[in-house]
Amino acid sequence: MTSSLRVGQKAPDFTATAVVDQEFKEISLSQYRGKYVVLFFYPLDFTFVCPTEITAFSDRYADFTSRNTEVLGVSVDSQFSHLAWIQTDRKQGGLGDIAYPLVADLKKEIARAYNVLDEEAGVALRGLFLIDPEGNVQHATINNLPVGRNVEETLRILQAFQHVQSNPDEVCPANWTPGERTMNPDPVKSKDFFAAVS
């Protein structure tokens, strides 16, 4: 892995074939400018932890789209493998219909650009990137292969970044959820927050 992608930097753009509503379509990351994007990588189709993540994001898709956010899943499989997995019933370990695009990264260029490719295994680690409407990476997390991600936490992080981007004089403390107190990032004004929560 040679990429030095960090939060605050531009997300690497890509154009690739995705399965969208059981059809093959060319999509680019740049076509989602003006929206937030949750871009997540998973190792392989027809595996075990992966379908639980993919279907969990699909089941909560409306919670993302209602917040001006698109979800994109990526693995190093082909679009044909993605389609076959989508056409397999959930009770059989498949995905069934899902609400967002699954991107094919057969040449592993996208995973490599996001520094999540395990070169030895030839698969992507469980990387997740929150990209803002200007195309900047605001959040990144990478799990090793055996542990899946938390969709609820992804939503919480999304809402926190949306809040601070709309309210530049505020920051979100640990465990913040919408409706809770934020703080002012100022040595004096921040004391209001600490006084209220102690």
Side-chain angles (χ1 to χ4, degrees):
M1 293 193 241
T2 56
S3 172
S4 61
L5 180 66
R6 296 188 312 275
V7 293
Q9 294 181 330
K10 286 284 181 206
D13 195 15
F14 59 83
T15 300
T17 303
V19 180
V20 183
D21 296 326
Q22 298 204 25
E23 294 182 8
F24 299 149
K25 294 186 179 175
E26 288 290 304
I27 67 166
S28 297
L29 180 63
S30 56
Q31 80 187 57
Y32 298 104
R33 279 289 169 90
K35 290 185 172 189
Y36 287 83
V37 175
V38 172
L39 176 69
F40 75 93
F41 293 82
Y42 64 93
L44 285 172
D45 292 346
F46 294 99
T47 53
F48 313 107
V49 176
C50 299
T52 65
E53 295 183 308
I54 294 164
T55 58
F57 275 106
S58 186
D59 292 346
R60 298 297 300 276
Y61 183 65
D63 292 323
F64 289 97
T65 57
S66 68
R67 293 172 173 88
N68 190 36
T69 303
E70 184 55 69
V71 176
L72 299 174
V74 184
S75 80
V76 298
D77 301 280
S78 72
Q79 63 269 33
F80 303 103
S81 177
H82 286 344
L83 181 60
W85 204 20
I86 288 167
Q87 291 176 340
T88 303
D89 188 85
R90 285 188 184 190
K91 291 179 182 174
Q92 310 295 297
L95 301 178
D97 278 326
I98 62 165
Y100 57 86
L102 282 189
V103 179
D105 185 24
L106 202 55
K107 294 182 180 176
K108 304 174 183 175
E109 294 167 345
I110 306 170
R112 200 169 276 122
Y114 281 82
N115 199 26
V116 296
L117 183 65
D118 180 332
E119 297 277 0
E120 194 172 305
V123 300
L125 299 170
R126 296 186 193 284
L128 184 145
F129 300 85
L130 175 60
I131 301 164
D132 71 17
E134 287 73 50
N136 300 308
V137 176
Q138 292 296 326
H139 169 76
T141 182
I142 302 172
N143 290 7
N144 210 345
L145 303 179
V147 176
R149 287 150 293 193
N150 185 312
V151 175
E152 198 64 45
E153 174 63 1
T154 303
L155 269 168
R156 187 191 75 81
I157 294 277
L158 168 67
Q159 291 173 92
F161 276 106
Q162 288 179 334
H163 182 87
V164 298
Q165 289 188 331
S166 299
N167 300 277
D169 293 334
E170 297 177 33
V171 293
C172 294
N175 303 319
W176 179 89
T177 57
E180 292 185 346
R181 289 184 70 99
T182 57
M183 59 170 42
N184 189 301
D186 175 89
V188 175
K189 294 177 182 175
S190 64
K191 291 178 181 171
D192 293 341
F193 171 84
F194 293 114
V197 298
S198 21

